[in-house]
Amino acid sequence: KYEYSNAEENNEDSFSGRVAKYDGGGFVVLFQTDGSQESRDASVAKLAELRRDTWIDRQTRAIFIDMNLFNPVTNTLSIVRLLAELPAAGGVIPTLYMRHVGLGMMYLKYARNATLAAEVAMLILLLGFAISELARMRRLGLSAYFHTMWGLFDFSTIVLYIVAYGFRWRALDMSQWKTFPPEQLTFTSYSYEASLVVTFRNVLGMCAVFSWARLFKSLKRTPFMEHVFRALFIAIPDLLYFCGCFICVLFGFALAHFLAFGDEIYECRTLPSCMLLLWRTFLGQGDVVDLMIERNRVLGALFFIAWTSLSAIVLLNVFLGIIVDGYTRVANEYERISFGEYLQSGVLRPLRHVLVRYGFQTSEEEEAAHDSAKVMELLSKEMEEAAAQRQLSREQQARDVAELTKRKRKKQQERIEVLMQSVMSLTRETALISRRLRAAEDTDAPRGTDPE
């Protein structure tokens, strides 16, 4: 009554759930509905029949419910898959997968004219870019072209665009074999075409990153940005060594988390999920830390403290030190040009020529003559001021000399007066001493006697 069909007969690819990976084969039951009450009653009756026939038994490990939903307002096709996994240990693990695809991405007749025009314009630009790179490759040679970093970068960008539109054309080609809207009372799976469109958009997103990063090639030639790019390029070798060390540390901690909590915490079920968990913890999103500590008080706290200390304190400071060291080396070796200097010399100068040409501004010769006259006038004023200053200096110097001479004469006169007073005092003292000596001599002389 229910026959097994493989993945090729079901037109399905393998699908990875939370518990296991499924190859696309299984027992398929189609619920036909056209929106009427009769079809709904038939679907309910078929569900009851499946329940009576024990369609879900102990051997059932997964149930897929696929449906297509269309929103005519936004012209969007939604491919919905409900997955209920039944592990051997018991229980049910439900998962919802949805992909929203614009119908114009699979059928050009439903696409908007503006979207088609934008895609055609991008293809023309991509073709011109590819031709210019091929001409550059021919001019430089393959070895010289791929020896430069920007050559490899541009070639990788073109390859990514080609791969992206390869998925785009594949989705359009596969959609031609399936009609839309699908026939009544039948189920048409658009999951493969939708996956091609989603892959196209993902690769196109990478192309957008590469295209915008290519602006650095043009910004590098601007003088005021050249200083920054030199610092980055000088720091690239050290940054590569740092990334190698960081990946080793990250992988070691991820392996430790996987071995310790892989069977107990869902976020640690695989090594990539552990690495993602550690990166989120490094950025400050420690939602699983409490669960880790609950599972193991010692290892949970120890792993969290060790990882945050090593990554946020040690490795982050090493990274900042590498950037600062590169910037310092560039600042010491090269002269930096500011944005104002670049704007004045590189942007305003051509604009000034245009204004002079059409008479909106005077020419450089006239401005130079005017500036020379101003300079001469300023020089003459400065010379007059300097002469006046020198005259004032000479007069001040003469006054200072006269004042100094006057002070010297006054001091000499004062010294002469002091000397005269000293001489007069000495003369008086000498006369006084002479009088005292004569008086003493008169007193000591023998008096005369009368003769007998």
Side-chain angles (χ1 to χ4, degrees), residues 31-32 37 66 125 141 163 202 225 233 242 251 261 265 269 369 382 403 424:
F31 289 87
Q32 300 176 350
Q37 186 63 36
D66 295 335
L125 293 175
V163 171
N202 294 336
M225 291 293 292
F233 283 120
F242 170 80
F251 184 80
F261 305 103
I265 300 177
R269 65 191 184 280
E382 290 181 358
E403 184 69 22
M424 291 178 63

Side-chain angles (χ1 to χ4, degrees), residues 97-296:
Y97 296 92
M98 298 183 67
R99 283 179 175 171
H100 306 282
V101 180
L103 196 61
M105 301 297 292
M106 297 192 299
Y107 299 94
L108 292 179
K109 62 181 180 180
Y110 295 106
R112 298 178 180 177
N113 295 330
T115 305
L116 291 177
E119 287 199 30
V120 170
M122 189 165 63
L123 287 175
I124 293 174
L125 293 175
L126 176 62
L127 181 62
F129 178 53
I131 292 174
S132 65
E133 288 301 316
L134 289 175
R136 182 165 170 258
M137 189 184 303
R138 182 179 179 182
R139 185 177 67 255
L140 298 177
L142 291 178
S143 60
Y145 179 81
F146 289 105
H147 185 71
T148 61
M149 187 192 70
W150 288 113
L152 291 172
F153 189 85
D154 294 339
F155 183 79
S156 302
T157 304
I158 294 174
V159 170
L160 279 177
Y161 272 108
I162 294 175
V163 171
Y165 275 95
F167 286 108
R168 177 82 165 95
W169 305 134
R170 180 63 176 171
L172 290 174
D173 181 63
M174 294 298 297
S175 300
Q176 302 305 317
W177 300 93
K178 299 177 181 180
T179 59
F180 188 87
E183 298 179 359
Q184 292 290 336
L185 304 180
T186 59
F187 177 77
T188 303
S189 177
Y190 300 97
S191 60
Y192 179 67
E193 292 78 9
S195 65
L196 291 175
V197 173
V198 172
T199 306
F200 160 71
R201 292 189 300 192
N202 294 336
V203 179
L204 199 63
M206 295 177 60
C207 294
V209 173
F210 274 68
S211 299
W212 281 102
R214 195 177 180 273
L215 290 176
F216 293 154
K217 183 178 180 181
S218 302
L219 291 176
K220 182 184 176 182
R221 300 175 182 175
T222 57
F224 68 92
M225 291 293 292
E226 187 176 2
H227 196 78
V228 177
F229 284 102
R230 280 177 177 172
L232 292 177
F233 283 120
I234 285 178
I236 281 177
D238 294 334
L239 288 177
L240 292 178
Y241 300 145
F242 170 80
C243 290
C245 297
F246 181 78
I247 290 174
C248 291
V249 174
L250 180 65
F251 184 80
F253 274 92
L255 183 60
H257 281 71
F258 174 70
L259 294 175
F261 305 103
D263 297 332
E264 301 184 26
I265 300 177
Y266 178 75
E267 286 78 3
C268 300
R269 65 191 184 280
T270 60
L271 279 176
S273 61
C274 289
M275 297 176 74
L276 181 61
L277 172 64
L278 290 174
W279 182 255
R280 292 173 58 188
T281 306
F282 171 70
L283 297 178
Q285 300 179 4
D287 301 335
V288 193
V289 177
D290 295 335
L291 189 59
M292 291 169 54
I293 297 175
E294 181 181 350
R295 294 291 186 270
N296 194 322

